Amino acid sequence: MKNGKVIFPGTFDPFTLGHLDVLYRLADIFEKVYISVAVNLEKSPTFTIEERKNMIKKVVGENDTIEIVSISGLVTEYMRQNDIKVLARGIRDSEDLYYELKMARMNKLLYPEMDTIFLHTSENYAYVSSSLIKEILKFNGPINGLVPEILVDEIKSKFMKN
């Protein structure tokens, strides 16, 4: 039996196979997964929110259990307004966990009814990060096997323009 709703927020700049791994595993556990393309004031995204949402849509297609949304404010406010009580985060290593635990505690303070769950990334994707992909692309390196194949050309072409 599946659980209710979960939100999976991130910048997804670009969307990676690690993100996809966590997303599909959440879809196996929850009835409804909201994947939230977030604005992170500490990052300068390469892709617009609409471009990131469209990339995810290309990968997951029409899927009744996955809804792609964007949030410009606090994720906890969106959760409260949409009666979502669980936030999910993918964890690659202890560094991710350290950062995410602080965020989870702050989110709990802002929205006491919610909980955060952590899914460790599958071993195949434990080294994959959007930042590393962007670094590879700066030097015209290959990103096959790091991002969904359907997105490779789109992501590469964005870097050729910059």
Side-chain angles (χ1 to χ4, degrees):
M1 177 190 222
K2 288 189 176 186
N3 296 298
K5 300 185 271 188
V6 64
I7 192 162
F8 178 35
T11 49
F12 308 113
D13 185 49
F15 190 70
T16 71
L17 287 174
H19 296 135
L20 185 61
D21 170 58
V22 172
L23 177 62
Y24 281 158
R25 288 170 47 218
L26 288 170
D28 284 342
I29 300 168
F30 292 89
E31 292 171 9
K32 184 77 167 189
V33 179
Y34 294 84
I35 182 164
S36 168
V37 179
V39 174
N40 185 331
L41 300 176
E42 294 180 11
K43 296 182 179 180
S44 299
T46 302
F47 298 91
T48 67
I49 285 183
E50 284 309 310
E51 287 172 325
R52 289 179 270 157
K53 284 174 67 175
N54 289 335
M55 281 192 280
I56 297 167
K57 180 88 168 152
K58 274 185 191 176
V59 174
V60 300
E62 291 298 322
N63 189 321
D64 293 339
T65 62
I66 298 171
E67 185 172 334
I68 305 161
V69 299
S70 57
I71 300 173
S72 58
L74 294 172
V75 70
T76 51
E77 274 310 302
Y78 184 89
M79 291 174 70
R80 187 185 326 271
Q81 292 166 4
N82 292 278
D83 194 35
I84 302 169
K85 302 275 196 266
V86 181
L87 184 145
R89 297 297 292 157
I91 300 293
R92 292 171 299 207
D93 55 27
S94 60
E95 193 174 308
D96 282 353
L97 182 60
Y98 178 74
Y99 172 79
E100 294 297 342
L101 279 172
K102 290 190 290 185
M103 289 297 296
R105 289 179 183 128
M106 182 56 70
N107 287 335
K108 186 78 169 168
L109 179 69
L110 295 171
Y111 183 31
E113 296 83 11
M114 63 88 65
D115 281 301
T116 301
I117 63 167
F118 303 108
L119 284 183
H120 62 86
T121 307
S122 295
E123 192 174 315
N124 296 350
Y125 307 114
Y127 60 92
V128 177
S129 76
S130 295
S131 301
L132 288 176
I133 289 167
K134 289 190 263 190
E135 187 72 21
I136 291 167
L137 286 168
K138 286 179 187 174
F139 297 99
N140 275 336
I143 58 169
N144 303 71
L146 302 174
V147 300
E149 200 60 37
I150 195 169
L151 300 179
V152 170
D153 291 337
E154 181 178 349
I155 292 169
K156 281 183 167 184
S157 70
K158 182 78 170 195
F159 275 80
M160 292 171 138
K161 292 176 188 174
N162 291 340

